[in-house]
């Protein structure tokens, strides 16, 4: 299974916002487009055998250099077999 999590930034006084994935498990990526993005991750089966809780941090930076970070925890509860 693949995680697809929308990311949305609210910054009313800036038009240019950069999103980036600061931390996350191997293979996690952030597809960023302005104030919106999509966090995508397909965990490798061998990682799930060792661990079921994963953390990630997304950072938004606006054109004035202001930054905000949001952390999240992904808990894998049950794995579908192919």
């Amino acid at each position: 299974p693949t995680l697809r999590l929308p990311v949305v930034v609210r910054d009313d006084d800036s038009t240019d916002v950069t999103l980036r994935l600061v931390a996350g498990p191997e293979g996690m990526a952030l597809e960023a487009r302005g104030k919106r993005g999509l966090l995508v991750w397909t965990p490798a089966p061998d990682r799930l055998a060792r661990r079921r809780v994963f953390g990630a941090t997304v950072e938004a930076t606006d054109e004035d250099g202001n930054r905000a970070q949001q952390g999240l925890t992904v808990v894998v509860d049950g794995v579908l077999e192919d």
Side-chain angles (χ1 to χ4, degrees):
T2 298
L3 169 74
R4 295 182 191 284
L5 181 67
V7 176
V8 179
V9 175
R10 181 170 179 190
D11 187 341
D12 295 334
D13 62 347
S14 295
T15 56
D16 187 27
V17 175
T18 301
L19 288 171
R20 72 181 186 106
L21 181 63
V22 176
E26 183 179 338
M28 183 176 277
L30 178 62
E31 300 169 0
R33 292 178 195 92
K35 293 183 181 181
R36 297 183 178 272
L38 185 64
L39 198 60
V40 180
W41 181 52
T42 303
D46 63 321
R47 291 191 57 97
L48 294 178
R50 295 174 300 196
R51 196 167 144 204
R52 297 287 176 119
V53 179
F54 302 87
T57 303
V58 175
E59 180 179 82
T61 306
D62 70 9
E63 61 214 21
D64 297 322
N66 299 309
R67 294 175 188 223
Q69 290 188 350
Q70 178 67 52
L72 63 116
T73 302
V74 178
V75 179
V76 180
D77 184 25
V79 178
L80 299 174
E81 298 293 327
D82 285 338

